[in-house]
Amino acid sequence: MTACSPATDTAAPPASPSLDTSTGPARPTPSASPSAADGEDVTACADGNCQLSVQRPVTIRLEAPDGSPTTLSVTEVGPSRIEYEVRSANGRSKGGASGRGQGCLTVLRENGSGNSCGPLNATRPDAVRGAVVIQATTSESGVATLHVVSP
């Protein structure tokens, strides 16, 4: 499920090495509980760069590329499932994924955002000049991994 506001850029986010572009189904390595560099510390995202483990709904505050306050709200997380919403001065964007090895990539720019959901691995996405990249990936254990990456 992906929804975008009228002010949202309709261009697809740039390709990232973390996107699974294989023609076959995703085959992630199962993990009992993914660990993240910043654990569950949402304040680590204030600078626009963090890696979190998320087990329940949470709200993360960060800055958009234009410096405006932005809120990333994980609204649902569970085994092989995550849903979230990003709100900034330029509008909002929703992303959600369910299934083994699934996730979403949201790229926030000054003039809007773009989402792409599908097979993803939990590696850190590349930084994009002039953008904040948010990647959310599911796990069978119910602990999702969030990456927030700024240039």
Side-chain angles (χ1 to χ4, degrees), residues 2 5 15 27 35 43 59 62 70 82 86 110 131 134:
T2 302
S5 70
R27 289 181 182 86
S35 61
T43 62
T59 299
L62 53 118
T70 300
I82 188 163
V86 180
E110 277 191 50
I134 298 168

Side-chain angles (χ1 to χ4, degrees), residues 22 26 31-32 35 49 66 72-74 87 89 91-92 94 101 115 124 130 136 139 149:
S22 67
S31 163
S35 61
N49 287 288
D66 64 0
L72 165 61
S73 298
V74 174
R87 289 181 182 248
R92 71 181 184 161
K94 289 185 176 184
N115 281 345
R124 182 181 191 271
S139 78
V149 181

Side-chain angles (χ1 to χ4, degrees), residues 11 28 42 52 77 80 102 106 124 129-130:
V42 297
L52 300 178
V77 69
S80 300
Q102 300 294 302
T106 300
R124 182 181 191 271
R129 195 170 113 186

Side-chain angles (χ1 to χ4, degrees), residues 34-106:
S35 61
D38 297 309
E40 296 180 17
D41 181 12
V42 297
T43 62
C45 297
D47 68 355
N49 287 288
C50 63
Q51 178 189 14
L52 300 178
S53 292
V54 180
Q55 300 180 60
R56 63 185 89 33
V58 65
T59 299
I60 301 164
R61 297 186 192 332
L62 53 118
E63 282 188 17
D66 64 0
S68 66
T70 300
T71 304
L72 165 61
S73 298
V74 174
T75 56
E76 187 176 335
V77 69
S80 300
R81 180 168 185 74
I82 188 163
E83 289 190 21
Y84 65 93
E85 179 177 39
V86 180
R87 289 181 182 248
S88 67
N90 292 335
R92 71 181 184 161
S93 183
K94 289 185 176 184
S98 62
R100 184 174 179 213
Q102 300 294 302
C104 292
L105 189 65
T106 300

